[in-house]
Every structure is written in structure tokens, then in C-alpha cells.
């Protein structure tokens, strides 16, 4: 006699029999609009410079960045997050290039907005680490510690110059206490209530950031454990989330993505604003390296990783495969 509540009557494999069946019942679907492309633009170079630790990713010239932005529009992705890499001689203790209207990031923002207008969300990393000679995300005090409140003053100025340069969205990424409220106030003071804030709400002091250091020409001395989160902790992520929302974050993000899918799921469950996740350099490079060795199927691994991030609750994913993945989804 057949029992329908359990085996042999109940056979979940019936819904896995063919590709079309699996596609029809899929609970998670990737779409080009899910993706945001992180991109690096470097001052003083004539040709794009390959990043050795991130195969296939380059430090762009201003011209090649504009081409990359146009390609992103054609692929149907939602945004491009820009990171500026100034000439080494322009770095200083205060990260002056980050608030110079003619600094490389601000110039690049104007370039990309002129190229794509409103067809792509032009987003800017709002942090000092690329522009300081010590490589930290803030101003240092006389004991070499990151001074939270002095850094907030710099972030306010950065927000204003980035908005003036054309950013649709600013992404405060330094993990300073109070940064979202200060940035929102600074933008509102200059009448830029339209500029959105993507809060780096959860950012762990991760070993997976390694290749990114090369990408931005980092001058970091020491580590960032006094302001980025401890990988052992989960509850404090929810505290950071509550504070960012109270201060006016329009969107929130978890970074890194892959090692912190549990945190991403908690954040997504708790909020009613868009949630993003950043698939960072180390996550990208591990898959590329393993695929180059022939140990994994590259395309399958890429899409499995992206699907896992979206399944955990990310509405948007910052990924260096954004354009490639979007193109393959559209084919």
C-alpha cells in the first residue's frame, strides 16, 4: 500500500529529473540587475595594469574605465563601485587626495557619469585607505591609533566632493562609529538629499582582503582589527545594523560575502531596506586560482558561489564577475 506522506509515496527527486524541471522549481534566480561591478582607476598610467593577485582584473586608466562602464550598461548590471588609486607621491597622513575635487576618484566619477549618465548607478567608495600614506581608513592620533571623530570630519568632506563629482551612491566603508549619520548630514547640508548611502554595515577584519591590497596600491602598516569586526562575532553585526539604520542608511551591506553567509541571512531577515553583499578579492582569486589549476569547473563554481550569496538574502552582489556573469545569464 502506497504511503503518500513519506517514502515511497514522497519522492523529492521527481522535481530534479530534467534541466527544465530543475529550472522551473528553482527557488533562487540570478539576474543581471543583481550585480554591481567594483572597479579600480589608477592615476598616472597610460594602459590598464593587470592585478597579478586577481587574474582578469585591472587597474583602469580613465579611458578604459569609461569603456568598462559602457560595457556594464550593455550587460544590464545595476552599478559600478569606483575605487581611486592616486599616485604614491600624493598620499599623505590625512588622505588629502580623497577630498581634492581633482583627485583621481572624483575625476573618475565625473568621467563615468559623463559616459553613462543615469543608465548605471555610479557608486563611490568613501574611505581614506587608498589615499593615506599609512594605509588606514582614518586619521591617526599622536599615538598612531585611528581617531574615530577626526576621521568623521574627513568623511563628511569626502561625501560632499563625491556627490559634487556625480556619485549616485556613496559607500562609507571605514567602519567608524557614527559614519552614516555624519555622511547623511553632510550630504543634506549641500542639498544632496538625492544621493543614497550604501552602508558597509558589517565589515570583518578578513584574511580574504589580501589581493585587494595590490589592487588599490595599499600602504597599510599594521592591521585594521580595532575598527573592522572580529570574525568570531555575530551579535555585534546586528548592533551595527541597528545603528546604521537609525542614522539613515538607505541600503546595507555585508563584507565579505562567502565566509559570512550566516550573518548575511540574519541581516536580510531583520531589515526592510535593500541588502547587498560584497564577494571580495580573496573569494574571487581562490576560484580563479583553483580553476586555473584544473581543480574545479570555473563557470559552475562562479555561479554556485553567486547563487549561494543571493540565496542567503543579498538583493545585490558586488562581484568582479559582474559583467561576465550578466552576459552569460543573458546568452
Amino acid at each position: 500500500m502506497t504511503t503518500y506522506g513519506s517514502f515511497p509515496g514522497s519522492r523529492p527527486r521527481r522535481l530534479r529529473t530534467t534541466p527544465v524541471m530543475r529550472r522551473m522549481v528553482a527557488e533562487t534566480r540570478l539576474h543581471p540587475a543583481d550585480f554591481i561591478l567594483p572597479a579600480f582607476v589608477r592615476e598616472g598610467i597610460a594602459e590598464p595594469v593587470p592585478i597579478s593577485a586577481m587574474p582578469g582584473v585591472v587597474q583602469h586608466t580613465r579611458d578604459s574605465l569609461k569603456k568598462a562602464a559602457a560595457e556594464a550598461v550593455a550587460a544590464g548590471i545595476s552599478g559600478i563601485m569606483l575605487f581611486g588609486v592616486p599616485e604614491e607621491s600624493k598620499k599623505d597622513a590625512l588622505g588629502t587626495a580623497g577630498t581634492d575635487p581633482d583627485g583621481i576618484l572624483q575625476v573618475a566619477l565625473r568621467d563615468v557619469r559623463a559616459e553613462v549618465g543615469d543608465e548605471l548607478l555610479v557608486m563611490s567608495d568613501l574611505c581614506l585607505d587608498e589615499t593615506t600614506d599609512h594605509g588606514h581608513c582614518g586619521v591617526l592620533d599622536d599615538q598612531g591609533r585611528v581617531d574615530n571623530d577626526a576621521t568623521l570630519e574627513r568623511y563628511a568632506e569626502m561625501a560632499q566632493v563625491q556627490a559634487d563629482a556625480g556619485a549616485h551612491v556613496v559607500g562609507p566603508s571605514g567602519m567608524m562609529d557614527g559614519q552614516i549619520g555624519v555622511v547623511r548630514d553632510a550630504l543634506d547640508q549641500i542639498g544632496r538629499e538625492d544621493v543614497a548611502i550604501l552602508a558597509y554595515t558589517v565589515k570583518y577584519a578578513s584574511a580574504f582582503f589580501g589581493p585587494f591590497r595590490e589592487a588599490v596600491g595599499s600602504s597599510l602598516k599594521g592591521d585594521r582589527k580595532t575598527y573592522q569586526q572580529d570574525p568570531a562575532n555575530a551579535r555585534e553585526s546586528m548592533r551595527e545594523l541597528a545603528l546604521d539604520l537609525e542614522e539613515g542608511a538607505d541600503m546595507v551591506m555585508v563584507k565579505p560575502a562567502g565566509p559570512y553567509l550566516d550573518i548575511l541571512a540574519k541581516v536580510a531577515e531583520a531589515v526592510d531596506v535593500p541588502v547587498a553583499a560584497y564577494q571580495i578579492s580573496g573569494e574571487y582569486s581562490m576560484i580563479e586560482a583553483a580553476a586555473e589549476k584544473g581543480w574545479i569547473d570555473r563557470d559552475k563554481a562562479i555561479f554556485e558561489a553567486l547563487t549561494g550569496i543571493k540565496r542567503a538574502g543579498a538583493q545585490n552582489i558586488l562581484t568582479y564577475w559582474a559583467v561576465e556573469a550578466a552576459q552569460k545569464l543573458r546568452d
Side-chain angles (χ1 to χ4, degrees):
M1 181 175 180
T2 300
T3 301
Y4 288 97
S6 60
F7 181 82
S10 180
R11 295 179 182 266
R13 286 183 56 190
R14 293 187 187 113
L15 300 184
R16 305 171 194 153
T17 52
T18 68
V20 173
M21 175 67 81
R22 293 191 294 273
R23 184 182 68 193
M24 184 184 76
V25 302
E27 299 172 25
T28 304
R29 300 179 192 276
L30 293 169
H31 187 277
D34 297 337
F35 302 135
I36 296 165
L37 176 68
F40 309 100
V41 57
R42 178 174 166 184
E43 191 172 24
I45 57 174
E47 298 290 338
V49 176
I51 300 166
S52 63
M54 299 177 69
V57 181
V58 302
Q59 293 173 322
H60 284 286
T61 67
R62 290 174 60 186
D63 285 340
S64 70
L65 179 65
K66 289 188 288 186
K67 293 176 182 176
E71 185 180 41
V73 171
I77 72 171
S78 289
I80 185 168
M81 174 67 79
L82 301 185
F83 297 84
V85 184
E87 294 177 331
E88 198 68 25
S89 63
K90 294 185 179 178
K91 295 182 180 181
D92 59 25
L94 298 178
T96 304
T99 50
D100 180 354
D102 294 319
I104 183 59
L105 180 54
Q106 286 69 253
V107 170
L109 286 166
R110 290 194 290 271
D111 285 345
V112 174
R113 276 302 300 270
E115 182 73 22
V116 301
D118 293 331
E119 293 187 89
L120 186 71
L121 284 176
V122 180
M123 313 168 92
S124 57
D125 179 60
L126 200 163
C127 195
L128 290 171
D129 59 321
E130 294 98 341
T131 58
T132 53
D133 54 13
H134 48 72
H136 278 287
C137 298
V139 178
L140 303 185
D141 64 18
D142 57 9
Q143 297 183 53
R145 302 171 301 187
V146 175
D147 185 327
N148 191 96
D149 295 5
T151 299
L152 294 181
E153 295 179 19
R154 302 287 295 126
Y155 286 3
E157 190 176 351
M158 288 185 77
Q160 292 176 342
V161 297
Q162 290 179 0
D164 285 343
H168 293 103
V169 180
V170 296
S173 62
M175 291 300 287
M176 297 296 117
D177 295 338
Q179 63 183 12
I180 302 305
V182 165
V183 167
R184 182 72 272 159
D185 186 58
L187 291 168
D188 292 352
Q189 283 180 18
I190 62 169
R192 296 309 308 271
E193 296 88 354
D194 58 321
V195 174
I197 299 176
L198 170 59
Y200 283 61
T201 292
V202 181
K203 185 177 181 182
Y204 284 95
S206 173
F208 293 98
F209 287 130
F212 183 86
R213 307 279 188 256
E214 178 188 347
V216 297
S218 175
S219 301
L220 181 64
K221 300 174 179 67
D223 59 47
R224 298 186 172 120
K225 292 181 180 179
T226 63
Y227 46 102
Q228 294 179 354
Q229 289 177 233
D230 185 337
N233 294 346
R235 286 194 299 270
E236 69 174 335
S237 297
M238 305 312 290
R239 184 182 183 195
E240 293 278 5
L241 175 65
L243 290 168
D244 281 357
L245 292 174
E246 183 180 347
E247 291 174 25
D250 299 291
M251 301 171 276
V252 297
M253 182 159 69
V254 175
K255 180 181 182 179
Y260 299 96
L261 295 181
D262 59 327
I263 306 301
L264 175 58
K266 287 177 182 289
V267 169
E269 180 67 24
V271 303
D272 58 3
V273 299
V275 176
Y278 196 146
Q279 185 184 52
I280 66 170
S281 59
E283 299 176 70
Y284 171 91
S285 296
M286 286 193 303
I287 289 177
E288 290 288 350
E292 190 275 331
K293 290 281 190 181
W295 294 340
I296 60 174
D297 182 302
R298 179 180 180 275
D299 285 3
K300 289 180 180 178
I302 289 170
F303 280 99
E304 184 174 336
L306 292 171
T307 298
I309 295 166
K310 187 170 183 183
R311 188 186 64 242
Q315 183 171 335
N316 296 107
I317 304 171
L318 284 80
T319 175
Y320 299 98
W321 290 303
V323 170
E324 178 185 349
Q327 291 170 338
K328 288 177 178 176
L329 288 170
R330 290 162 68 99
D331 287 345

